[in-house]
């Protein structure tokens, strides 16, 4: 291995460590606790080293969001892969999405609540974000209905899921009604 390859590998490892540590800290204490000073202390590198990878917290949030988007896409595809009927796939998608949001609140915030400097729904949208949407579209596109644009239907269904995830997390919805909400969403919006 050349010196250049070793340096590139070490740089990539440092970057992964920064992102993992930021994510861990955010999950434990919230995003307000994530500062470059705290990160530098936790990973035992200087703040200038952090700044050589990320210009600031916004870029770190963006990196966590991209990682989270890839994980969300994987979770949705895994959740829907065993279902053998369109309705079962939509229910599995909704459960996988809501479960991801509940298990990863800081990542979910990085994806959908905080400014990570990422472009959404644009030509220059990063690939992991496009793939997360594609994971939703793969299942929801098949139940969009006649004359309904699959991408538009996916956006509306996703917005409903996001609302459920956000309101549930904020304690605005009764926990015992979580499953009936999913059933109602699937039956009335997806009509399968």
């Amino acid at each position: 291995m050349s010196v250049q390859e070793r340096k590139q590998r070490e740089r990539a490892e440092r970057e992964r460590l920064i992102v993992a540590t930021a994510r861990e800290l955010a999950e434990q204490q919230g995003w307000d606790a994530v500062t470059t000073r705290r990160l530098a202390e936790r990973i035992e590198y200087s703040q200038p080293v952090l700044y050589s990878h990320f210009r600031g917290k916004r870029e770190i949030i963006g990196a966590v969001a991209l990682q989270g988007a890839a994980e969300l896409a994987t979770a949705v595809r895994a959740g829907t892969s065993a279902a053998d009927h369109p309705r079962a796939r939509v229910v599995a998608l909704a459960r996988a999405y809501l479960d991801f949001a509940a298990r990863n609140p800081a990542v979910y915030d990085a994806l959908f609540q905080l400014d990570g400097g990422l472009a959404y729904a644009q030509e220059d949208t990063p690939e992991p974000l496009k793939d997360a949407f594609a994971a939703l579209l793969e299942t929801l596109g098949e139940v969009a209905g006649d004359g309904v644009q699959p991408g538009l239907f996916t956006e509306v269904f996703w917005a409903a899921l996001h609302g459920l995830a956000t309101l549930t997390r904020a304690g605005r919805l009764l926990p015992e009604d979580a499953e009936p909400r999913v059933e109602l969403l699937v039956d009335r919006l997806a009509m399968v």
Side-chain angles (χ1 to χ4, degrees):
M1 173 184 301
S2 73
V3 172
Q4 179 69 14
E5 289 171 331
R6 183 180 53 79
K7 285 183 178 186
Q8 287 175 338
R9 188 183 74 216
E10 289 171 356
R11 180 173 176 75
E13 288 173 10
R14 269 193 316 271
E15 193 165 301
R16 279 191 295 277
L17 179 61
I18 294 166
V19 172
T21 303
R23 181 176 174 165
E24 179 183 314
L25 187 58
E27 291 292 0
Q28 292 171 352
Q29 300 177 30
W31 278 103
D32 287 343
V34 179
T35 64
T36 54
R37 191 172 84 204
R38 272 199 177 145
L39 285 174
E41 289 170 4
R42 282 207 175 190
I43 65 172
E44 299 177 346
Y45 282 103
S46 67
Q47 284 181 303
V49 170
L50 264 71
Y51 285 116
S52 74
H53 290 273
F54 300 99
R55 287 184 291 218
K57 183 175 175 177
R58 181 178 186 221
E59 284 189 5
I60 293 169
I61 290 169
V64 170
L66 292 177
Q67 187 180 73
E71 292 170 11
L72 176 60
T74 298
V76 166
R77 287 185 176 115
T80 59
S81 67
D84 59 356
H85 182 270
R87 184 183 191 287
R89 280 189 290 280
V90 175
V91 169
L93 177 146
R95 287 180 182 147
Y97 184 96
L98 294 171
D99 184 54
F100 178 88
R103 284 185 296 107
N104 304 284
V107 173
Y108 194 81
D109 284 349
L111 269 165
F112 302 120
Q113 304 289 358
L114 302 174
D115 180 9
L118 303 173
Y120 285 78
Q122 297 176 22
E123 228 174 89
D124 61 340
T125 298
E127 206 51 48
L129 298 177
K130 288 179 181 179
D131 189 50
F133 185 78
L136 299 173
L137 181 62
E138 289 162 10
T139 294
L140 295 170
E142 70 178 293
V143 298
D146 293 336
V148 178
Q149 186 182 33
L152 185 61
F153 178 77
T154 299
E155 289 174 347
V156 170
F157 198 92
W158 172 29
L161 286 174
H162 176 69
L164 288 175
T166 303
L167 291 170
T168 298
R169 189 164 136 206
R172 304 291 197 268
L173 301 175
L174 295 172
E176 61 268 19
D177 289 336
E179 189 58 31
R181 274 187 213 97
V182 168
E183 296 293 331
L184 182 62
L185 177 64
V186 171
D187 290 342
R188 297 300 171 108
L189 191 56
M191 293 200 270
V192 287

